[in-house]
Amino acid sequence: MLPIGVTPVTAIPTRISHGPVAEAGIEFAEAQPQIIPLSELPEFATEQKNPGNKKHVTRIFVKLPSERLSEGVTFVDTPGLGSLAVAGAEETIAYLPRCDLGIVLIDASAGLTQDDLVVVQALYQAGASAMLLISKADLFSVADRERMIEYVKTNLRNQLQVEAPVHAVSVFGADAALCDRWFESELRPFLAQHHEFAIASRKRKIGALREAVAGALERRLHVASEGISADNITAPVEAIEALRSGDRILERAQGEAFFLTRKITKMQPAIIDAAAQKIAAGLVESDDVDAGSIFAGTLTAMLAEPVAGTLRSIEQTRDALAEAMQVAASVSDKAIPDELPKPAGMPMLDASEISKKVLIEKPAVVSLFGKGMLASHVRRRLENEYDRALLEFLSLYANRLRRWMEQSISALHTAFAASADMHRVQFENAPALGSPDISAVQNDLRILREWEAVNQESRPVIGRT
């Protein structure tokens, strides 16, 4: 269903998921989204029809009424790391920590490349799993396919010390059965296992919540048995405020994601001015000046601070949330919470593609120019010829950076909320203990303990061999 060809796709991954009708959704940086038929997808997704992503596409969603996708699988087709679309490689790297399984497609006629090994290693480092598919297997005999599979496995073992599944596949003619067999024997079981892990994770969360409730009930019984007055019981105000502060920290971080990245798109005039000054200085001193390299260096240096600022914002948010969780844990009988997720997969900044377009030659009568006049001349050239390209570059990178920030904040929110909920159950109602109905509390506690015992006896063993 996706466009193919000798040229790479643009910098935007294409997400394929289940839907009632075959169609594609296109999102833009500066325009309203569009719903298009799949026949028009190459107009937005290929380098040939959308060179340098001049249409400012930010996301592509494809919906297909496929039975295989109805089980909840979402495929994300990403540009390769060796792609001519440099920004596409950045987007692929940024996506790795968010996927469960990376399917690395190897062209049978090209064999395993260094880029393929880099992708596999990056997947494992991001905590994902990897499978390798050797495509176009219909062009080779069964014996040759087996040799290819063994060759790839050996290289993975020797160079990366990993044992990843490798399969030869095709979608052509009778050999299309190879792809069907791979889906049924490898991908479907992986999905089933993924569901088991998700169920086990939910059970762990429910179990922790059950323990928190049981602990609260036991404290109620302790209060009643010791004859302690509810007036003498104070809620852990500091801990409750710390958790509420965590919620405010997350809200503030979400707002910062927009404003921090918006600064990048507003830096266009300053970047052109600084680059013009440096290029002019170089033209005065030498006849052989690489204006593109000076422009790229200026762009990279000036974006370094706002880019570092986005990372600092995420790290400061993470540190503040961790401190709030520590405060809550210090007055709770719960263990110190798990470490919050660290920011990973930050989009790389690569100015090489735009710098290739910058070409400014030394004026023949440079001696007639003062340094200020020469800088003004270079600035006009940059504004007239490269202003639009720079704006597109800054807009697309700012969008990638903002999406990365939003995803990182979302991961922090999920982890913080899971921990905060456990603590809130324990002590947010502490001041209103009153005089409990002892028999009712004992009965509730008995139900929880019996439930725990039943779950312990029936708990499945997952991931053991």
Side-chain angles (χ1 to χ4, degrees), residues 130-450:
M131 287 185 187
L132 288 89
L133 301 186
I134 303 174
S135 70
K136 305 177 185 177
D138 55 280
L139 300 178
F140 299 88
S141 67
V142 174
D144 285 340
R145 294 173 196 166
E146 293 302 321
R147 280 192 287 269
M148 288 178 187
I149 291 173
E150 188 54 39
Y151 168 78
V152 171
K153 285 185 175 181
T154 300
N155 272 273
L156 292 172
R157 190 179 303 117
N158 293 341
Q159 299 194 45
L160 301 181
Q161 290 77 52
V162 299
E163 297 285 345
V166 181
H167 301 273
V169 298
S170 172
V171 292
F172 183 78
D175 289 314
L178 291 171
C179 191
D180 294 334
R181 191 178 308 133
W182 163 74
F183 190 93
E184 294 299 328
S185 65
E186 293 292 331
L187 196 57
R188 194 181 294 277
F190 181 91
L191 178 62
Q193 186 184 44
H194 183 268
H195 287 166
E196 288 182 355
F197 281 123
I199 291 170
S201 176
R202 285 195 294 272
K203 285 185 175 181
R204 285 194 297 272
K205 292 177 181 178
I206 291 170
L209 184 58
R210 181 181 61 241
E211 285 299 309
V213 174
L217 293 177
E218 287 174 345
R219 282 191 296 278
R220 276 177 166 254
L221 291 176
H222 172 70
V223 168
S225 64
E226 296 294 327
I228 301 173
S229 170
D231 295 333
N232 296 327
I233 302 173
T234 59
V237 177
E238 183 183 3
I240 293 174
E241 180 55 33
L243 296 181
R244 290 173 180 167
S245 172
D247 293 333
R248 292 193 292 270
I249 290 166
L250 286 164
E251 290 176 7
R252 186 167 60 248
Q254 290 168 345
E256 287 180 353
F258 175 79
F259 289 106
L260 283 172
T261 54
R262 187 172 177 81
K263 287 182 181 178
I264 291 176
T265 59
K266 293 184 175 182
M267 292 180 66
Q268 178 189 16
I271 291 170
I272 286 181
D273 185 65
Q277 296 285 347
K278 293 180 180 180
I279 292 172
L283 291 173
V284 169
E285 297 174 1
S286 173
D287 293 332
D288 186 21
V289 173
D290 187 346
S293 294
I294 295 175
F295 187 85
T298 304
L299 173 61
T300 302
M302 293 187 69
L303 289 184
E305 174 51 34
V307 170
T310 61
L311 181 59
R312 281 198 304 272
S313 175
I314 296 295
E315 290 175 338
Q316 289 168 359
T317 299
R318 180 177 180 272
D319 291 344
L321 292 176
E323 183 178 349
M325 290 166 63
Q326 290 285 356
V327 170
S330 68
V331 294
S332 167
D333 59 7
K334 290 293 157 192
I336 295 175
D338 293 336
E339 187 177 13
L340 290 167
K342 294 181 179 179
M346 187 176 189
M348 295 185 300
L349 177 68
D350 188 341
S352 61
E353 193 69 17
I354 187 174
S355 67
K356 292 175 185 175
K357 305 174 184 178
V358 178
L359 179 62
I360 297 179
E361 298 177 350
K362 188 172 186 177
V365 287
V366 71
S367 59
L368 300 179
F369 285 82
K371 192 172 181 180
M373 289 183 61
L374 183 57
S376 297
H377 167 74
V378 175
R379 185 183 302 107
R380 285 194 298 272
R381 285 283 307 277
L382 291 174
E383 289 174 343
N384 292 336
E385 299 180 26
Y386 309 110
D387 189 70
R388 184 63 182 175
L390 177 59
L391 178 60
E392 291 176 356
F393 176 87
L394 293 175
S395 297
L396 288 171
Y397 183 71
N399 271 311
R400 293 193 196 102
L401 200 59
R402 184 169 65 251
R403 291 204 306 274
W404 173 78
M405 284 192 74
E406 290 169 349
Q407 291 153 7
S408 299
I409 292 167
S410 177
L412 288 172
H413 180 272
T414 299
F416 177 78
S419 175
D421 286 347
M422 303 304 170
H423 295 302
R424 287 190 178 106
V425 143
Q426 284 191 256
F427 45 61
E428 279 207 325
N429 293 325
L433 286 175
S435 300
D437 182 334
I438 300 298
S439 62
V441 173
Q442 290 174 334
N443 187 58
D444 289 341
L445 191 57
R446 177 184 56 78
I447 292 172
L448 289 173
R449 292 308 184 199
E450 289 177 354

Side-chain angles (χ1 to χ4, degrees), residues 90-102:
E90 298 172 8
E91 191 76 7
T92 299
I93 292 172
Y95 201 90
L96 295 185
R98 297 156 50 199
C99 74
D100 299 305
L101 172 67

